[in-house]
Structures are given as structure tokens and as C-alpha cells.
């Protein structure tokens, strides 16, 4: 059982380049999330999808777009990467119930130069 | 709005000593509270959670936490630290709608022999 799978694991981009981070879960969860982790800042929510077909902004959505492709997949796109987007990105999923545990992927370490 | 404050970005203990990681929360609704652990270069793993009922919650690896409404606290403890407990620990609270988790900035636990 793979859980939450993120690709790629590492990526280096030049300023202005675009890329899509992929995430897939095999736990039949309704809700999916994208967080970024920066030193001393904890995890900050970028976007979330409470169910298939819906997406909502989190705390730090600027510079990102998301697509909930189907129930399993939730992608994060950087249209024009900036050095401030250098971070570790985590995808997570959970049941759509308050108090449900979120399951996390292994993360994508992104460097924008 | 919901928020979490973790007191102390870095805690150092000796092997066999008591571990105490502090978390205070702010919530406009009855809180659902979580502790996650992150080992180096890995995703987050749930240690324990409080939803309703018993205020002393036991988790994995010998950790426990007590929900104290009067103090708006959810501190994490372990009676005897082990070298393998060295990691980063995050406290989190469900947002008001129950659609996502809001994380604290994390506490790095170091364990010395």
C-alpha cells in the first residue's frame, strides 16, 4: 500500500520556469492538500481540495495553481517560479471528516535559482 | 481563527530523561488537536490526536499528550527519551471548517547520550 506518492522528489528550476508537482493517493480519501515547509515556519497550507471537483486557497496560495484531476490525484503548478518558492512541498490526504488524520507524502525538495 | 504556538524551537534532553514539548492553541470551536513527528528527509507521521472524550491521549513510541481546555494546551510528553526520538515535532489544530490542519512552527528534539 503506497499511501501518498509525490513526484518528483527533487527538482531544480531556473527563475521563470514552470513545473507541475504530482501527487496521488490510493486510500480513497476525499480530501487532499498541498503544504510547503520552510525552516522556522512549520508547514503552511497552499491549497486544499475537500472533495473531487473543488479546490480552495490556503494560507499562501500566491504563485501557485492546483488541479484535482480525479479523486486520486491533486497536482500543484508553478507557472513562473521564483526564488521565494524554494521549499519542500508536501502533499497529504485525509477523510473528509473533522478530526481525521492527514497522511503525508515524502515531499518534493524544490530549488529555484 | 485557529492557530498553534509551539514554545521552544529546539529542545535538548539526555537519553532517559523526560521529554516535554509544549503546544498552545487558539480555536473558536472545540479543537481537534494533533501531534506529528518528522524524521530527517521524510514526511510527517501521526503520533497521536485528540478529538473528544478522554483528555489524556496515548500515541505511538511511548508518547502521550494531555488536552487542557482551561490552559488551551496540548503538551507532548514521554517519560524516558531514546536516541531514536530525535526528530522534528509539529503540533496542529483543525481549522474551523474542519477542512485542513493548521500547523505550528515545529520543535526540534535533540537527544544526547
Amino acid at each position: 500500500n503506497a499511501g501518498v506518492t509525490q513526484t518528483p522528489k527533487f527538482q531544480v528550476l531556473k527563475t521563470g520556469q514552470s513545473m507541475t508537482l504530482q501527487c496521488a493517493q490510493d486510500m480513497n480519501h476525499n480530501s487532499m492538500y498541498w503544504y510547503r515547509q520552510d525552516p522556522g515556519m512549520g508547514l503552511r497550507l497552499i491549497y486544499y481540495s475537500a472533495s473531487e471537483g473543488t479546490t480552495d486557497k490556503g494560507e499562501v496560495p500566491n504563485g501557485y495553481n492546483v488541479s484535482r484531476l480525479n479523486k486520486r490525484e491533486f497536482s500543484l503548478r508553478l507557472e513562473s517560479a521564483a526564488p521565494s518558492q524554494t521549499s519542500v512541498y508536501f502533499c497529504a490526504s485525509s477523510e473528509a471528516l473533522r478530526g481525521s488524520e492527514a497522511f503525508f507524502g515524502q515531499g518534493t525538495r524544490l530549488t529555484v535559482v | 481563527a485557529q492557530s498553534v504556538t509551539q514554545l521552544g524551537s529546539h529542545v535538548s534532553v539526555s537519553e532517559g530523561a523526560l521529554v516535554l514539548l509544549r503546544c498552545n492553541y487558539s480555536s473558536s470551536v472545540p479543537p481537534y488537536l494533533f501531534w506529528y513527528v518528522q524524521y530527517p528527509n521524510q514526511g510527517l507521521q501521526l503520533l497521536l490526536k485528540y478529538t473528544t472524550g478522554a483528555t489524556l491521549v496515548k500515541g505511538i513510541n511511548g508518547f502521550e499528550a494531555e488536552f487542557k481546555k482551561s490552559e488551551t494546551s496540548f503538551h507532548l510528553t514521554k517519560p524516558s527519551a531514546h536516541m531514536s526520538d530525535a526528530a522534528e515535532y509539529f503540533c496542529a489544530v483543525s481549522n474551523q471548517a474542519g477542512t485542513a490542519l493548521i500547523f505550528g512552527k515545529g520543535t526540534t528534539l535533540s537527544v544526547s547520550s
Side-chain angles (χ1 to χ4, degrees):
Chain A
N1 193 347
V4 179
T5 303
Q6 293 182 233
T7 55
K9 288 185 171 51
F10 301 94
Q11 184 71 48
V12 179
L13 288 179
K14 294 182 178 179
T15 297
Q17 286 185 318
S18 63
M19 80 162 295
T20 299
L21 281 64
Q22 307 286 352
C23 174
Q25 53 92 8
D26 61 5
M27 295 173 282
N28 201 37
H29 286 161
N30 286 309
S31 299
M32 298 186 72
Y33 316 87
W34 278 104
Y35 288 89
R36 60 177 288 174
Q37 182 180 20
D38 302 291
M41 300 295 293
L43 279 80
R44 292 180 291 169
L45 184 64
I46 306 172
Y47 271 93
Y48 66 96
S49 171
S51 61
E52 186 178 355
T54 68
T55 60
D56 287 284
K57 295 178 180 180
E59 181 185 354
V60 289
N62 291 345
Y64 305 96
N65 286 300
V66 290
S67 295
R68 184 73 183 268
L69 304 171
N70 47 56
K71 191 172 185 179
R72 290 186 64 248
E73 299 172 288
F74 188 39
S75 62
L76 178 71
R77 183 161 178 84
L78 288 70
E79 291 290 352
S80 179
S84 61
Q85 295 178 304
T86 293
S87 187
V88 181
Y89 292 85
F90 286 99
C91 178
S93 70
S94 73
E95 298 288 352
L97 296 171
R98 193 162 176 258
S100 295
E101 172 187 358
F103 292 81
F104 284 80
Q106 294 295 296
T108 296
R109 188 173 296 273
L110 175 67
T111 301
V112 183
V113 298
Chain B
Q2 326 305 85
S3 67
V4 169
T5 301
Q6 292 184 240
L7 302 175
S9 59
H10 200 142
V11 171
S12 297
V13 301
S14 299
E15 194 171 21
L18 171 71
V19 175
L20 171 60
L21 304 182
R22 299 178 187 273
C23 173
N24 288 90
Y25 69 90
S26 173
S27 179
S28 54
V29 297
Y32 287 1
L33 296 159
F34 303 77
W35 275 101
Y36 281 83
V37 60
Q38 183 183 34
Y39 299 103
N41 300 312
Q42 294 189 25
L44 279 72
Q45 177 184 3
L46 182 71
L47 275 177
L48 49 81
K49 69 176 183 180
Y50 169 79
T51 53
T52 58
T55 56
L56 182 62
V57 181
K58 295 186 183 301
I60 62 171
N61 300 338
F63 284 93
E64 61 183 35
E66 186 171 11
F67 169 64
K68 291 187 176 181
K69 183 178 178 180
S70 61
E71 299 178 8
T72 61
S73 69
F74 191 56
H75 301 330
L76 182 71
T77 60
K78 182 174 180 177
S80 176
H82 192 272
M83 297 293 285
S84 61
D85 294 327
E88 190 160 18
Y89 292 80
F90 293 94
C91 184
V93 64
S94 284
N95 66 359
Q96 185 171 358
T99 50
L101 295 182
I102 298 168
F103 285 86
K105 294 186 177 182
T107 298
T108 300
L109 175 66
S110 300
V111 182
S112 59
S113 58

